[in-house]
């Protein structure tokens, strides 16, 4: 009887722990709120997603700057470079077919799953395995994310476990001085 009760208690604890984590959904008009640290300054940044047949458009708004940053279908699928544009130079910025914005490509995500690493911006990022600390908490729940670290410097990223839209939910120790954390999602 003790073994049965212990087993039930362990199962209940597992379910409670599992219920305390989330994988954010991403669809048309999803609003992403980030806190960004740019060269020592903190800015609030809002991205509103617009999915079309040909592209993913993030409508960016921060400190009075409004712009649309367009990731092509090819970039979303096979991109290998992250754009750090701040949307200040054009009302619409069309990224190169090799670039993504605030996310990695689906092929880079697959490389991460299969090889425990991927290459982006000519930098190899390795999966940090057995990472028990949650990087991002939304509404009291930990975001299920892969923790990765650059081989060449101290940059760390947390990427949402979503193969269709692998959002970068947190960046720290970026030598460019551009770090961000997802603080809220409005579906």
């Amino acid at each position: 009887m003790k073994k049965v009760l212990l087993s039930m208690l362990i199962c209940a604890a597992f379910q409670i722990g599992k219920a305390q984590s989330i994988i954010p959904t991403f669809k048309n008009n999803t609003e992403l709120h980030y806190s960004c640290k740019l060269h020592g300054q903190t800015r609030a940044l809002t991205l509103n997603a617009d999915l079309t047949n040909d592209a993913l458009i993030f409508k960016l708004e921060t400190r009075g700057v409004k712009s649309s940053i367009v990731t092509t279908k090819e970039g979303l699928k096979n991109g290998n470079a992250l754009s750090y544009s701040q949307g200040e130079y054009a009302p619409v910025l069309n990224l190169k077919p090799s670039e993504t914005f605030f996310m990695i490509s689906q092929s880079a995500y697959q490389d991460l799953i299969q090889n425990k690493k991927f290459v982006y911006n000519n930098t190899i990022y390795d999966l940090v395995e057995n990472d028990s600390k949650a990087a991002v908490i939304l509404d009291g729940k930990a975001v299920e994310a892969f923790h990765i670290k650059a081989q060449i410097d101290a940059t760390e990223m947390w990427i949402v476990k979503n193969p269709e839209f692998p959002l970068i939910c947190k960046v720290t120790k970026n030598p460019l001085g551009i770090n961000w954390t997802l603080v809220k999602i409005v579906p």
Side-chain angles (χ1 to χ4, degrees):
M1 184 67 171
K2 288 181 182 178
K3 289 182 182 178
V4 171
L5 288 174
L6 182 60
S7 295
M8 288 175 57
L9 183 61
I10 291 171
C11 287
F14 174 76
Q15 289 299 328
I16 289 169
K18 188 174 172 107
Q20 298 302 314
S21 64
I22 59 170
I23 297 177
T25 57
F26 189 84
K27 58 186 179 192
N28 220 11
N29 295 318
T30 297
E31 198 171 279
L32 307 168
H33 295 262
Y34 284 91
S35 174
C36 298
K37 304 236 184 238
L38 304 168
H39 312 294
Q41 298 178 6
T42 301
R43 292 184 180 182
L45 172 76
T46 302
L47 300 174
N48 194 315
D50 183 12
L51 297 165
T52 70
N53 289 334
D54 299 326
L56 168 61
I57 303 164
F58 278 126
K59 296 175 184 169
L60 174 147
E61 187 173 332
T62 183
R63 295 183 65 181
V65 175
K66 291 182 181 181
S67 148
S68 293
I69 300 182
V70 181
T71 300
T72 65
K73 193 174 192 176
E74 179 62 24
L76 182 59
K77 186 174 180 181
N78 295 313
N80 61 13
L82 189 62
S83 171
Y84 287 97
S85 174
Q86 297 174 35
E88 296 175 351
Y89 302 109
V92 176
L93 175 63
N94 292 298
L95 299 180
K96 297 174 188 170
S98 61
E99 293 179 315
T100 58
F101 186 72
F102 270 75
M103 64 190 327
I104 64 171
S105 67
Q106 295 162 347
S107 64
Y109 184 89
Q110 288 307 313
D111 285 347
L112 177 60
I113 298 293
Q114 293 170 358
N115 306 316
K116 300 185 184 332
K117 64 181 173 182
F118 67 93
V119 178
Y120 235 65
N121 295 83
N122 295 316
T123 299
I124 299 171
Y125 291 91
D126 294 312
L127 178 65
V128 176
E129 297 194 69
N130 303 321
D131 183 25
S132 61
K133 62 181 178 181
V136 177
I137 306 294
L138 297 176
D139 296 325
K141 296 178 182 169
V143 174
E144 288 191 37
F146 290 110
H147 180 190
I148 61 167
K149 188 173 185 315
Q151 285 185 0
I152 197 167
D153 58 39
T155 304
E156 293 182 78
M157 289 189 222
W158 286 262
I159 298 168
V160 173
K161 292 182 178 180
N162 181 336
E164 201 171 338
F165 297 104
L167 288 171
I168 300 170
C169 57
K170 185 172 182 177
V171 176
T172 63
K173 303 174 190 167
N174 183 339
L176 298 175
I178 305 171
N179 297 296
W180 65 79
T181 302
L182 182 64
V183 294
K184 182 179 177 184
I185 294 180
V186 180

